[in-house]
Amino acid sequence: MDAVPAEERQGGPSRLLGLWAGTNTTVFTVVYGALVVSFGLSFWYAVALIVAGNVLGFAVTGLTSLQGPRTGTSTHSISRAAFGPRGGRIPALLSWVMLVGFEAGGMVLIVLAGLALVDQAGITTGTPVKLLVIAVAAGLQMLLPLAGYHLIMKVQKYFAWIFAAMFAVMAVLVAPKADFGTHGQAPSLVTVSLVLAMVTASGGLSWADMGSDYSRYLPAESAPRKVFACAALGGMVPNILLQILGAAVATATTNAADPISGLPEILPGWFSTPYLLLAIVSLLAVNTTDMYSSGLNLLAVGLPIKRWMVVFIDLSLCTGITLWAVFSADFYTLLSNFLSLIVLWLGPWAAVYLTDWALRRGRYDVPSLFPAETGRRGIYWHKGGVRPAGLVAVLLGLAAAVLWVDSAVFVGPLSRAAGGLDLSVFAGSLVAGVSYWLLARRTVRAEAELTPGA
C-alpha cells in the first residue's frame, strides 16, 4: 500500500472503465435486478429505481477514486487523514470483514454452479464430488489475486467484453418471455426507500472503499473529471443494464433471484451450460478484485503481510465457509443477513472520508499517512494516532442508520414507527458527514494549509 512512485504511474483514466465494467458484469448484478421486482414493482417502475439507485451509488465510487492519483496510495491509507493512522485501522478492519463476506458469497455460488455442471454431466454429486469441486474452486480463485494489479487490470478489461457478449445473448433469449407492458400502481414511499437502499448499497456504495485502490496507479496529473467519469460509468452502466435484465427475467419467472437453480429455468436448455460457465468465471473475477483490496486493507490495519499470505487467509476462510454452505441449507440466509448489516457502516464512513477530502480540497501530506514507515508522526497524528472527530462522526452516522434500517435481522425504531421506511443509507451518511464537518472543519482546514505544495 506504499505510495506508488511517479515513474511507475501509467495509463489514463479509461483503464478504470474496463476494471469496473468487468467486475460488475456478473450474475450477482442480474439477481439484484430480480430482487427489485420481488418488492411488488412492475418492470418500468423497477427500471426507474434501478437507474436512480445506481446513479447515487456509483457517484460515490467515482468520488472515492479521485484521491488515488493525488496520493498514489490506497483508499484506507488515505482514510487515515480523517481517522488518524491508528484510528483508521477500525474502518480498514471492517472493510476487510465485509470483503471476506462478499468473497465467501461469491465462492459459494461458484461451487453451486460447478455442482450444477457436474450434475448436467450425469455425475452424482455426493460428498466426495462436492469436496473435489470446492478444492478446484479454491485453486482457481488463488491464481489471479497472486498476480497483482497489472494483470488484474488487463484480465478484467477482456472479461468485460466476454461477459457483455454473453449477457447480450441472454437478453435476446429472455426478451420474448418478459412482461414489459404492465405498468401497475405507483410504489409506496416505503417500497421506494427499501429498493433505493438495496440498489445503492449493493452497487456503487459497496465498491466505494476500494475506489483509490486502483486509481492510485494513474499519473498525478490525471484529470479529476475523467477519473470520476470512468470509475462511475464503468460500474454504473453494466449495473443498470444487467439489473434491468434481471427485472425482465423476474417478470417471467418467480425464481429469478436464485442464480443457479432458479434463473436458468427461463433459458433454453442449450444455453444453461454456457450460462453456468459464465457465472463461474464472472464470480471469480469479482472475488479477484475483492481479494486485492482485502490485502491492502489488512496492511492498513497494521499487519505486515504479503500478498500470498492474504490470499491464503481469505481463501481458507472462504473455503471453510463454503464447506458449511454446501452442507447447510441455512447458510446463505445467514450470510445475506450479515452483509445487510455490515454495510451499514459504509455510508457513514464514505461521508466522513469525502467530507474530509472536500475540507482539505484534495490536498494530502502523504508521508503523514505512513508514520511507522517515515519515523515521524506527521500532521494527522492528533491524540495518540487517533482523530476522535472521525470516529465519533461514524458512530453517530451508524446510530442513525440503525434507527432507520428495515432488514430481516433488525428493524430500527424509527423505521418501525414510519411503517417500514428504510432511510438507513441516507440518514447514516447525512448524520456522519454533517457531524464531521461540525467537529473537524477547523483542524482539517488548518492541516490543508500546512500541507506541502498547498
Side-chain angles (χ1 to χ4, degrees), residues 400-415:
V402 169
L403 290 174
W404 279 107
V405 71
D406 182 7
S407 72
V409 179
F410 177 78
V411 179
L414 294 182
S415 176

Side-chain angles (χ1 to χ4, degrees), residues 41 59 62 216 220 317 331 375 394 431:
L41 297 173
R216 68 191 181 122
L317 290 171
F331 165 77
V394 167
V431 169

Side-chain angles (χ1 to χ4, degrees), residues 189-191 193-194 197 344 399-425 427:
L189 184 60
V190 169
T191 299
S193 72
L194 290 169
L344 290 177
V402 169
L403 290 174
W404 279 107
V405 71
D406 182 7
S407 72
V409 179
F410 177 78
V411 179
L414 294 182
S415 176
R416 186 182 297 109
L421 192 67
D422 190 332
L423 299 177
S424 56
V425 173

